[in-house]
Amino acid sequence: MIRFQPGSHVRRLCEVLAVTGEIPVSSLHLLGSQRVFRALVARLCEPQTILNTDTGEKLDCRLLNLRGRGARKAVRFYKAGLPVLDWFGARAYYMNTFRGHELPRDDTHIERNFRLAETVLLLSSTGCEFRPWLKEQFQSRSIRRLSFSQPCFYSSHELKNSGEELKKTQYARFIGAVFTEDAGMTVYNTRNSIMKWNGMGEFKAKDAIQKLAALNTQTREIHSAILFGQTMEVALRTMKSFDRVPHADLRFDAIYRHIHFIPLSADGVGQLQILLLPDWNERLLDLMFEPAQRSYERGAFEYDAHVDGVYVFAFFDGDLARLIRFHEAVSEFKCRAELFCFPFQVSLAKQVLGELVDIKTIGLQPVLEALGLKGGKAFESKT
């Protein structure tokens, strides 16, 4: 018997599927132990008795289905298992979003579903709220200030249903946007490839999201984007792709002053937790440097501290746009400089900066602990 209860692996899997429609099998490790979740999926692809521990209801059915092959192999709901959506209030959203359980079969839509699924999996591991049926939705009729007791992710589908302007941005690549009590960030997922940026499309999408945010949140302007990708090599290739945009003002790092690259991994979960903290940048820099060492953005170029004659740049946030500007500055000024980063970011920093700066590392876990974080939401409940 499968116990369907708050915090259980099976419930978390179903909640993600209710938002994304499908999850690539290759990305199940983002839920936790890949071995555990692959075994759970295999079990749920066979007829089971599923007990709702809140109500005592039971379902005798096959809950999940596997579709596709190789990199396209994905987990979806089995039609007979759809009543489970009623147990957590998601049926209406799922049926409206996926046209009565008619999921697309073309590569373009499948790839977009995969990008959304990986985004939701990583964000959910930080405790970010992603479930549309539990959130107040945005609107475009009047000024209304929503307060966020925890970070909230709104998918592109939700945002486009909230404002007419976003419905016109069909060529934009954004997956959604995440909001905290003091900031908003557009979210992208490039997976393991270089995204074909539509500069004007992304500019219009950012402008439309910004207008929605001004009506519904405390955020007035959006300066930052989160960019998910599978490896740091993807981050490097992405940075190089910015130069191929013909118009400088439509470069991705011109549209967003800050582009935080987050790997689709356990390290990425910890890094993302930091970015979703209120006033995260000040808290992080106060942890690393004495007030007298801090630059407070007053220098001739972007650095974070000046220690014993050395200009120090903190790269813990994975900000690719800022890294590009720092590289340009140290190349021009020929000053002594150091870069602080997490161990998993070293390869990228070395390939971008070469011998221009010294690179020093600090472990991710000690930083998380110092900030009062635990390195990712734990889901220890048994199925």
Side-chain angles (χ1 to χ4, degrees):
M1 179 180 293
I2 304 288
R3 296 174 65 85
F4 190 92
Q5 59 191 17
S8 67
H9 291 333
V10 64
R11 174 153 179 169
R12 186 176 176 219
L13 184 62
C14 288
E15 287 179 337
V16 172
L17 280 172
V19 175
T20 67
E22 55 193 332
I23 299 172
V25 170
S26 60
S27 300
L28 285 174
H29 66 281
L30 297 176
L31 282 163
S33 167
Q34 186 171 22
R35 178 185 59 81
V36 168
F37 277 97
R38 279 180 178 264
L40 176 61
V41 167
R43 191 177 173 191
L44 294 174
C45 285
E46 300 292 335
Q48 301 287 343
T49 297
I50 305 168
L51 170 66
N52 184 338
T53 58
D54 289 336
T55 65
E57 293 176 83
K58 292 182 180 179
L59 276 177
D60 291 300
C61 67
R62 175 181 170 184
L63 185 61
L64 302 180
N65 185 34
L66 290 175
R67 186 178 186 88
R69 296 179 180 179
R72 292 296 189 202
K73 192 173 184 179
V75 183
R76 296 181 174 183
F77 279 119
Y78 194 63
K79 189 172 184 178
L82 292 180
V84 78
L85 293 165
D86 294 320
W87 291 359
F88 54 96
R91 181 188 276 267
Y93 178 83
Y94 179 86
M95 299 301 278
N96 288 336
T97 303
F98 300 107
R99 301 177 183 179
H101 192 54
E102 289 294 328
L103 273 76
R105 299 184 181 184
D106 62 284
D107 286 349
T108 300
H109 283 89
I110 290 173
E111 177 67 16
R112 189 162 187 85
N113 285 349
F114 283 10
R115 293 178 193 274
L116 174 61
E118 291 170 345
T119 298
V120 168
L121 290 174
L122 215 66
L123 285 165
S124 69
S125 293
T126 70
C128 180
E129 181 57 78
F130 65 93
R131 297 164 292 186
W133 53 92
L134 295 181
K135 298 182 309 222
E136 286 194 72
Q137 294 298 310
F138 287 0
Q139 48 79 48
S140 56
R141 298 180 301 277
S142 60
I143 297 175
R144 181 187 60 168
R145 300 283 184 251
L146 300 180
S147 59
F148 298 104
S149 58
Q150 66 187 106
C152 287
F153 171 72
Y154 289 82
S155 69
S156 59
H157 177 80
E158 293 174 84
L159 294 172
K160 288 179 179 180
N161 282 341
S162 302
E164 289 298 320
E165 283 191 46
L166 273 171
K167 291 181 179 179
K168 302 173 185 177
T169 59
Q170 57 181 325
Y171 298 112
R173 306 294 185 178
F174 75 102
I175 292 296
V178 63
F179 293 91
T180 63
E181 63 183 53
D182 62 353
M185 292 176 278
T186 313
V187 179
Y188 296 81
N189 180 6
T190 192
R191 303 195 77 207
N192 197 35
S193 60
I194 303 305
M195 199 171 288
K196 294 180 180 179
W197 307 108
N198 182 317
M200 184 54 71
E202 305 310 332
F203 179 84
K204 290 180 178 178
K206 175 198 167 185
D207 185 62
I209 294 170
Q210 196 165 254
K211 288 178 181 177
L212 271 180
L215 285 173
N216 293 276
T217 75
Q218 303 297 328
T219 300
R220 295 292 177 272
E221 294 186 28
I222 293 178
H223 302 290
S224 304
I226 292 174
L227 176 64
F228 293 117
Q230 289 187 1
T231 65
M232 302 311 288
E233 179 62 28
V234 171
L236 180 64
R237 288 157 51 201
T238 297
M239 291 175 71
K240 292 178 178 179
S241 74
F242 296 164
D243 292 328
R244 294 197 289 269
V245 177
H247 302 288
D249 55 344
L250 293 180
R251 282 171 52 117
F252 198 51
D253 56 336
I255 296 170
Y256 294 101
R257 184 161 180 80
H258 302 285
I259 303 168
H260 304 285
F261 184 84
I262 308 292
L264 293 166
S265 65
D267 288 328
V269 173
Q271 191 181 8
L272 191 56
Q273 279 189 291
I274 295 172
L275 289 180
L276 297 181
L277 282 173
D279 204 22
W280 64 268
N281 193 44
E282 284 301 308
R283 293 170 67 175
L284 185 59
L285 293 177
D286 281 345
L287 181 67
M288 298 295 169
F289 308 108
E290 296 295 331
Q293 298 171 331
R294 295 272 311 276
S295 68
Y296 296 102
E297 301 182 355
R298 293 194 298 260
F301 62 93
E302 289 189 63
Y303 64 94
D304 296 298
H306 191 244
V307 183
D308 298 328
V310 179
Y311 293 94
V312 183
F313 181 85
F315 186 55
F316 304 110
D317 59 354
D319 189 342
L320 303 184
R322 196 162 175 259
L323 182 62
I324 290 171
R325 295 193 293 271
F326 180 68
H327 175 247
E328 292 171 348
V330 295
S331 297
E332 178 181 351
F333 289 104
K334 309 295 182 184
C335 54
R336 290 179 61 202
E338 291 179 348
L339 178 140
F340 286 8
C341 65
F342 295 125
F344 64 89
Q345 298 172 314
V346 169
S347 61
L348 174 63
K350 284 185 175 179
Q351 290 183 79
V352 173
L353 299 171
E355 302 298 321
L356 288 171
V357 306
D358 293 327
I359 297 173
K360 297 184 177 180
T361 63
I362 298 176
L364 174 60
Q365 197 58 40
V367 173
L368 293 174
E369 292 172 359
L371 292 171
L373 300 169
K374 296 180 180 180
K377 186 176 178 181
F379 295 88
E380 300 297 339
S381 301
K382 303 297 182 183
T383 58

